[in-house]
Amino acid sequence: LQLSNNRIGPAGGVALASSSGLGRLSALHLDHNDVGDEAAHALAASPDRAALRELDLRSCAVTEEGALALARSPLARQL
């Protein structure tokens, strides 16, 4: 799913991460949206991320905290 440069903020990123539709995605491109650490944490914790193989969070206001949450989650092994 290509959502680059769509003015998606933290609430939108969290909504995407908690959507049941996430389970059908193999790729999620959120680059250049200010989804931040909230979305990174939500994606890391999402039970519906099993199919995800590609995640683009460039220029998304994700700090070391959010990156570590992703790196420590099972999602990191899938990407």
Side-chain angles (χ1 to χ4, degrees), residues 3-77:
L3 294 172
S4 304
N5 292 308
N6 273 291
R7 298 182 186 174
I8 299 170
V14 170
L16 282 167
S18 61
S19 168
S20 61
L22 181 65
R24 295 187 294 270
L25 298 180
S26 61
L28 179 58
H29 295 268
L30 289 171
D31 52 290
H32 298 92
N33 288 292
D34 288 329
V35 296
D37 289 337
E38 289 178 56
H41 280 280
L43 286 163
S46 176
D48 294 316
R49 56 173 154 52
L52 203 58
R53 297 293 177 263
E54 224 177 281
L55 178 62
D56 189 346
L57 293 174
R58 288 175 293 135
S59 298
C60 283
V62 175
T63 68
E64 183 177 343
E65 177 188 335
L68 283 172
L70 288 166
R72 291 177 177 150
S73 78
L75 178 61
R77 290 183 287 279

